[in-house]
Amino acid sequence: MTQLIEDVLLLIFAELHRDPASLYSCILANKTWCRLAIPILWEYFSCAYNPYIHKEESRKKLYNVIAHFLPKDKLTEINIELLPSNPISNELLFNYMDFFTHLTPTWIEDMVQLTCKKDSTSVFNKLLLEYEIYFLIFSKCKNIRYFNWTKSKKLFLLCPNVKEFFSNLRHLKLNVEYMTPEILFNLTAVCQNITNLEVINNNYDEDSKDDDDLISFIRMKNNLPFLCAQLSDVISKNVVTLKKIILKLTITLISPTFFPLLVNLQYLSLYNDDDDELYDSVKWQEWEHYLSLTFFPNLQYLGTSYLPSSIECLIIERSGGKILEIDICHTLDHPTENRILIKTISEHCPMIRRLTMELINSNNLNEVCNIFSKCVHLEEIYFTTMSNGDKLNTVSKDNDQFVTKIARNFISE
């Protein structure tokens, strides 16, 4: 009976996972409640990408617990004063490091800034502290499954246990702006169990970067083709486990040879940041070849930006008819009627519930109407017309009524 009560409590606490104040109150109730609620509360804090959404006082309390596990002798040598002014004297009731499930460098940067004396701590000593934090995380945090590598941090690669840490990851987010061929080569060797992979390439803003950043940017751009080749290797090593892929970079630099092996893929988002390559047929021939050999039996989400319609059609045609949501964006510089694409959606996506699509006009209205007649589960649709860019956004289960609304819009034009 006790086990049943704890199971019920876990369900209740799980519902409070975004309410830290209530979870904190539960922790104070009794030992059983504390034991069950503490992991959920700590997971809530670790899941936030941006630590600054929490008050500084709360962050200091969190960092103070982490600092309890850091080597005091080493930190004393480099003149690091741990947070806050009241160190923990008693033994901790839990191994709190086991409760971390997410890791982003932003949290560690914030801890270093709040821990160090602003005027007396050198840059070198801050780097040493940062290294010790990474060393602690890689040694003690056995349950981290999500790592967000969107900062220029190579320091942690020097830490022991880095191979074991990355082999335990399930979700990995990378920014190629901070990647090097050596880093990606090492990732290929250690990342063997990734289910969710997100790769981004931050937009470059000349006004916001100094000369050193400009040099790094140029170096990254020159290395991008080779980096993308290495990235293909990372994906190829994880084709069996991968269920979610998000690529936001120059898609044509990625070799699509791994696509036929992605049999378990459920979520695919392809954002081509170089729309100038949109109609370069030579670049897309290889993609068309490998997609024609691919079958996505479990695909439920497809998102694309600035891809040729032929590529989008191939992905949809090769899906298993289980797609629930499609989000497609085309560049306005290359208008298209999208008739073939719309027809492909209506014929191969009988289960779709949400559709976002641009460049709808009176020339392809018949195909749009077929979507409503064939996709009977459609609940939400978002269209952009070609003529004036006005957006029609509605959530409706009355498909006939919505088709009439679109038709009236085109007639009035």
Side-chain angles (χ1 to χ4, degrees), residues 275-276 278-279 306 330-336 358-359 386:
D275 58 325
D276 290 335
L278 187 58
Y279 292 97
Y306 312 126
H330 286 143
T331 174
L332 296 176
D333 295 334
H334 302 285
T336 176
E358 295 185 339
L359 306 181
M386 279 182 55

Side-chain angles (χ1 to χ4, degrees), residues 14 34 50 77 99 218 276 371 374 399:
C34 179
N50 182 6
E77 290 177 5
F99 300 151
I218 295 173
D276 290 335
I371 287 182
K374 295 183 178 181
N399 292 340

Side-chain angles (χ1 to χ4, degrees), residues 138 149 153-160 162 166 183 186-187:
F138 290 161
W149 195 344
K153 296 296 175 189
K154 304 176 185 177
L155 183 65
F156 53 77
L157 292 177
L158 302 175
C159 298
V162 65
F166 276 95
I183 290 177
N186 290 329
L187 285 179

Side-chain angles (χ1 to χ4, degrees), residues 159-405:
C159 298
N161 301 319
V162 65
K163 182 176 181 180
E164 181 182 356
F165 174 83
F166 276 95
S167 65
N168 288 330
L169 292 180
R170 298 296 180 270
H171 304 248
L172 180 61
K173 182 175 182 179
L174 301 174
N175 185 349
V176 292
E177 184 176 348
Y178 302 124
M179 294 294 104
T180 65
E182 299 133 316
I183 290 177
L184 282 177
F185 178 79
N186 290 329
L187 285 179
T188 303
V190 299
C191 292
Q192 301 290 328
N193 298 294
I194 301 297
T195 60
N196 292 13
L197 177 64
E198 181 174 359
V199 183
I200 65 173
N201 180 13
N202 278 1
N203 293 328
Y204 177 68
D205 182 0
E206 292 187 15
D207 295 333
S208 64
K209 290 184 176 285
D210 55 28
D211 292 339
D212 291 338
D213 288 331
L214 178 59
I215 293 173
S216 299
F217 172 77
I218 295 173
R219 185 183 300 116
M220 184 276 295
K221 279 296 186 184
N222 290 336
N223 287 332
L224 192 56
F226 186 70
L227 290 173
C228 287
Q230 293 278 34
L231 181 60
S232 295
D233 289 339
V234 174
I235 297 176
S236 298
K237 293 289 186 179
N238 292 272
V239 288
V240 176
T241 59
L242 270 171
K243 296 182 179 180
K244 182 176 182 178
I245 295 179
I246 300 175
L247 301 178
K248 297 182 178 180
L249 68 169
T250 305
I251 296 297
T252 49
L253 294 177
I254 299 286
S255 174
T257 55
F258 54 81
F259 269 106
L261 302 176
L262 292 172
V263 293
N264 295 315
L265 197 65
Q266 299 176 5
Y267 186 110
L268 178 61
S269 178
L270 303 174
Y271 181 99
N272 183 30
D273 68 1
D274 189 0
D275 58 325
D276 290 335
E277 299 289 346
L278 187 58
Y279 292 97
D280 188 341
S281 59
V282 176
K283 291 283 188 180
W284 291 106
Q285 278 183 351
E286 186 183 17
W287 274 70
E288 291 179 353
H289 170 70
Y290 282 101
L291 283 174
S292 67
L293 303 176
T294 301
F295 183 54
F296 302 102
N298 301 304
L299 191 64
Q300 297 181 20
Y301 174 89
L302 174 63
T304 65
S305 294
Y306 312 126
L307 265 65
S309 295
S310 59
I311 298 296
E312 295 159 340
C313 286
L314 269 174
I315 296 174
I316 295 171
E317 289 172 356
R318 307 301 293 173
S319 69
K322 298 179 181 178
I323 295 181
L324 302 177
E325 181 175 351
I326 293 179
D327 189 343
I328 293 177
C329 175
H330 286 143
T331 174
L332 296 176
D333 295 334
H334 302 285
T336 176
E337 294 182 4
N338 282 337
R339 297 180 68 177
I340 297 178
L341 178 58
I342 297 171
K343 182 179 180 181
T344 302
I345 293 174
S346 66
E347 293 180 348
H348 296 274
C349 303
M351 306 299 294
I352 190 170
R353 295 182 179 180
R354 186 178 187 276
L355 174 62
T356 301
M357 195 171 180
E358 295 185 339
L359 306 181
I360 304 299
N361 61 22
S362 55
N363 293 327
N364 51 36
L365 185 57
N366 289 334
E367 283 72 20
V368 174
C369 293
N370 286 333
I371 287 182
F372 292 105
S373 63
K374 295 183 178 181
C375 304
V376 296
H377 298 282
L378 193 63
E379 298 174 354
E380 182 177 349
I381 193 161
Y382 181 90
F383 282 155
T384 300
T385 63
M386 279 182 55
S387 56
N388 53 21
D390 292 338
K391 297 178 181 179
L392 299 175
N393 190 9
T394 187
V395 179
S396 174
K397 295 182 180 180
D398 187 351
N399 292 340
D400 292 336
Q401 181 180 356
F402 184 60
V403 171
T404 302
K405 182 177 180 180

